[in-house]
Amino acid sequence: MSEAALISQEDAVQALHSAIEEAAGLLEVDYRRDEVLRILDLYGGDLAQGIVAFRVSTGARRSGELDCRFTVPQDVDPYELAVDKGLLDQTDHPVSRLLADIRDNCPVDGYGIDFGVVGGFKKIWVVLPRTGLQQVAALAGLPSMPPSLGNSLEFIARHGLGDTVGLLGIDYRNRSVNIYFGEPPAGGIAPESVRAMLREIDQAEPTEQVLSLGRQAFGVYVTLSWDSPVIERISFAVATTDPSGLDVELDDRIELFVRHVLRSDPDTKFVYAVASQPDGAYYKLQSYYRWGAGVPDIMQLPEGSLADPV
């Protein structure tokens, strides 16, 4: 690697760390500085050009955290590196084999990692080519995939969530998988459909805020684990350039973060999402520290969805 490239990576790491430090201070998150720098140094080979995002969430278990995610070099095995460097423990659990199973059976367009500035390394994102989306049924057949995906194929088809998948998130801490459908329903999801879906998997009755986001959703994804025979959560995501313009009431913590981000970059873009739970929904806001031309493909955004945001 050239000296210029090394300097570029070092500068990118320091700049991102400064942004993390500022946001963590705003949110009163007491994070582990050395651990954050270690993750940035390990995975930051393409950080100067990569896509970078922050996320904050509501709820008692999530409000003390700030998540950061960014794309990583494709020639690096992100799971092997995490285990080798002690960010994840070696395990015989199927979650440890899922990334290899996906890579061996599907075309992969790229990877990303996700870490909490408090909780450390969490997830690996697997991006599938937009021209090579994978059938949900085929992914359900992977040996290490949670059986609940196969159990849910009829549910997914009946509710029209999508036949294909464009993005997967493997959560090694919680031993779960997010499946992002590549062909979300046109025009969002009607309130009666949201109610029926959530009722069928024993989630809390949706509020008007949940129903509003369902109607506006560009994307739907489900969370699965190896410990449950059914879908554990359904999330509805809305792309926007101004979360305050959504037909929802923003949580105080999210509103604080939005103001902070817009002061730094008035042209930034956001994804606001709601995730169902048996005891009530929680909300997530993702902002982009660095946007890139590949983001619409990664997110499977319909053309023009951010040019004419909700």
Side-chain angles (χ1 to χ4, degrees):
M1 184 179 292
S2 69
E3 183 177 350
L6 287 170
I7 293 171
S8 177
Q9 179 182 346
E10 182 180 350
D11 288 347
V13 165
Q14 290 301 322
L16 179 53
H17 181 261
S18 294
I20 289 171
E21 196 165 42
E22 184 178 4
L26 175 81
L27 296 168
E28 299 181 348
V29 171
D30 186 15
Y31 75 102
R32 296 182 293 168
R33 183 178 189 276
D34 291 345
E35 185 71 3
V36 168
L37 282 171
R38 186 160 79 104
I39 293 171
L40 297 181
D41 286 331
L42 279 174
Y43 286 97
D46 285 345
L47 195 54
Q49 295 81 34
I51 297 164
V52 185
F54 292 134
R55 191 186 75 174
V56 293
S57 302
T58 64
R61 289 197 302 115
R62 300 171 177 86
S63 61
E65 182 66 283
L66 169 67
D67 293 320
C68 180
R69 57 270 309 265
F70 57 87
T71 51
V72 301
Q74 195 167 352
D75 59 354
V76 171
D77 184 317
Y79 176 72
E80 286 189 3
L81 182 60
V83 172
D84 183 57
K85 299 301 182 181
L87 299 175
L88 293 174
D89 294 330
Q90 183 70 56
T91 174
D92 291 332
H93 191 276
V95 72
S96 68
R97 301 188 294 275
L98 185 54
L99 180 61
D101 272 356
I102 295 169
R103 188 170 51 232
D104 290 346
N105 290 277
C106 309
V108 173
D109 213 26
Y111 302 110
I113 66 155
D114 189 327
F115 67 95
V117 303
V118 177
F121 192 96
K122 293 181 179 179
K123 292 182 183 178
I124 292 172
W125 302 94
V126 187
V127 183
L128 306 179
R130 196 156 191 169
T131 56
L133 303 183
Q134 295 299 294
Q135 293 291 317
V136 180
L139 290 173
L142 296 179
S144 56
M145 185 64 70
S148 49
L149 182 57
N151 296 343
S152 303
L153 291 177
E154 191 270 338
F155 174 94
I156 291 167
R158 180 160 38 83
H159 289 289
L161 296 182
D163 300 322
T164 58
V165 173
L167 179 69
L168 300 95
I170 307 171
D171 187 328
Y172 293 91
R173 297 292 182 192
N174 293 312
R175 293 184 172 178
S176 63
V177 182
N178 291 341
I179 301 290
Y180 293 75
F181 296 105
E183 299 174 358
I189 302 175
E192 57 271 22
S193 297
V194 173
R195 289 192 182 95
M197 278 190 284
L198 299 188
R199 190 176 299 120
E200 191 170 339
I201 59 171
D202 295 325
Q203 306 288 284
E205 187 69 18
T207 64
E208 286 302 316
Q209 183 160 332
V210 173
L211 297 176
S212 175
L213 292 172
R215 284 193 297 267
Q216 300 173 80
F218 78 84
V220 182
Y221 60 98
V222 297
T223 301
L224 311 157
S225 81
W226 288 265
D227 298 326
S228 172
V230 297
I231 291 170
E232 291 199 336
R233 287 194 300 276
I234 300 179
S235 299
F236 309 108
V238 174
T240 181
T241 54
D242 181 9
S244 66
L246 297 174
D247 186 23
V248 296
E249 182 178 346
L250 298 180
D251 173 89
D252 289 345
R253 185 168 186 264
I254 287 179
E255 190 171 12
L256 179 69
F257 189 67
V258 168
R259 291 200 301 267
H260 166 72
V261 170
L262 289 176
R263 280 196 302 269
S264 303
D265 180 6
D267 297 321
T268 194
K269 300 169 180 67
F270 298 91
V271 172
Y272 188 73
V274 58
S276 70
Q277 293 188 130
D279 58 352
Y282 69 95
Y283 299 87
K284 303 174 278 189
L285 179 85
Q286 180 163 299
S287 70
Y288 283 85
Y289 170 83
R290 184 182 299 114
W291 184 266
V295 173
D297 281 347
I298 292 173
M299 295 167 57
Q300 305 298 321
L301 279 170
E303 187 174 349
S305 59
L306 283 172
D308 183 22
V310 294

